Amino acid sequence: MSKINKDMRIAEILDIDATIAPILMAAGMHCVGCPSAQGETLSEAAMVHGMDADSLVTRINDYLEKKAEKNN
């Protein structure tokens, strides 16, 4: 299972699993498909949107872990 961190670019995160996009959008990052947003790190995007990057990383990694468990 891949894990993400706040220093990864949005594009890298979505390359790991495109189904992470709804989590980002639900958190207020509605521009995940924008070319400029693709080059931002999760930390940078969280700062711009006034959210805590660490809690978002935890939420995404929990999602990936549960998804991996379902597939095993």
Side-chain angles (χ1 to χ4, degrees), residues 30-48:
H30 301 282
C31 57
V32 294
C34 299
S36 60
Q38 295 287 310
E40 287 182 321
T41 65
L42 185 60
S43 180
E44 292 167 336
M47 182 180 65
V48 167

Side-chain angles (χ1 to χ4, degrees), residues 1-8 13 16-17 20 23-24 42 53-69:
M1 178 191 84
S2 297
K3 285 210 169 215
I4 64 110
N5 65 67
K6 65 184 179 183
D7 296 320
M8 295 174 77
I13 293 169
I16 288 172
D17 189 328
I20 295 170
I23 297 170
L24 297 173
L42 185 60
D54 292 320
S55 66
L56 191 53
V57 166
T58 299
R59 194 175 332 156
I60 293 169
N61 283 327
D62 286 350
Y63 165 77
L64 291 173
E65 185 176 327
K66 287 176 186 167
K67 186 175 177 181
E69 288 173 5

